[in-house]
Amino acid sequence: LTGQLMMHRVLVSTCLLGERVRHNGEHKQSHDSVLQRWLREGRVVPFCPEVAGGLPVPRPAAEIAEAAGGLSVLSGTGRVLDVNGRDVSAFFVAGAQQALEYARLESIQVAVLKEGSPSCGPSFTYDSTFTSRRVPGQGVTAALLRQAGIHVLNEFQLAEANRILTQLHQEGGS
């Protein structure tokens, strides 16, 4: 590097960037000013664990069975089932592992992921009844990234994510 600190990059759910990668072929683009600035600065590393894990777009909606949470899926005790009852856990675990590998490759310490997603949800997912009933807990990718010490926030916590980046910059870590 040319004498300046490395710019901290942020892993961001691709759907938040306007890419149509969600199960229904839609996106959840965020127009938040913090995210827009990160894009201009070249900080954003887009990633969709479900697509990376091998799932198509569109695809049947999926939820973590019995609201067991992402850690249970990672440990093999929980499952992710699609609306047709098909076990798609392996795709979710593969995508989470690729997200972690990518984050390590890019020295990423902060991730902003789509809330509510069975992959990405940092603080809630849905209860596996496909009735939009929220349950506290994290998605598979959010759980794995947190386990690895990465700060995982949702699209409504961009200001907090920015504060963490600023703190990391001041500490001089990469």
Side-chain angles (χ1 to χ4, degrees):
L1 299 178
T2 58
Q4 53 186 184
L5 288 170
M6 187 174 120
M7 180 173 47
H8 292 280
R9 301 188 74 201
V10 184
L11 193 74
V12 177
S13 292
T14 309
C15 64
L16 297 175
L17 302 172
E19 295 293 318
R20 297 181 179 279
V21 294
R22 291 174 48 83
H23 72 89
N24 58 4
E26 293 298 317
H27 64 77
K28 287 287 187 175
Q29 186 166 14
S30 169
H31 297 284
D32 188 282
S33 60
V34 171
L35 183 57
Q36 299 310 310
R37 181 170 47 78
W38 289 348
L39 284 163
R40 286 191 306 274
E41 293 170 350
R43 289 182 183 270
V44 173
V45 176
F47 198 85
C48 176
E50 293 176 30
V51 171
L55 290 169
V57 179
R59 58 189 170 273
E63 295 182 358
I64 299 172
E66 299 165 21
L71 284 174
S72 75
V73 177
L74 290 166
S75 73
T77 59
R79 299 179 306 148
V80 182
L81 301 177
D82 73 16
V83 70
N84 303 315
R86 177 177 169 227
D87 186 338
V88 291
S89 305
F91 296 105
F92 282 76
V93 171
Q97 290 169 337
Q98 286 186 51
L100 179 57
E101 195 175 304
Y102 207 48
R104 285 183 171 149
L105 195 65
E106 296 282 340
S107 302
I108 286 171
Q109 297 178 50
V110 178
V112 174
L113 304 180
K114 178 71 191 102
E115 189 61 271
S117 158
S119 287
C120 295
S123 61
F124 77 81
T125 60
Y126 294 95
D127 71 355
S128 77
T129 61
F130 298 93
T131 57
S132 299
R133 196 172 358 200
R134 297 176 177 192
V135 289
Q138 51 196 343
V140 180
T141 297
L144 187 62
L145 293 179
R146 276 206 179 116
Q147 227 176 20
I150 295 169
H151 301 275
V152 179
L153 300 104
N154 67 36
E155 68 271 29
F156 307 110
Q157 297 173 305
L158 284 156
E160 185 178 339
N162 198 57
R163 278 194 298 277
I164 294 167
L165 282 177
T166 301
Q167 183 181 347
L168 290 168
H169 181 74
Q170 288 167 348
E171 291 169 3
S174 59

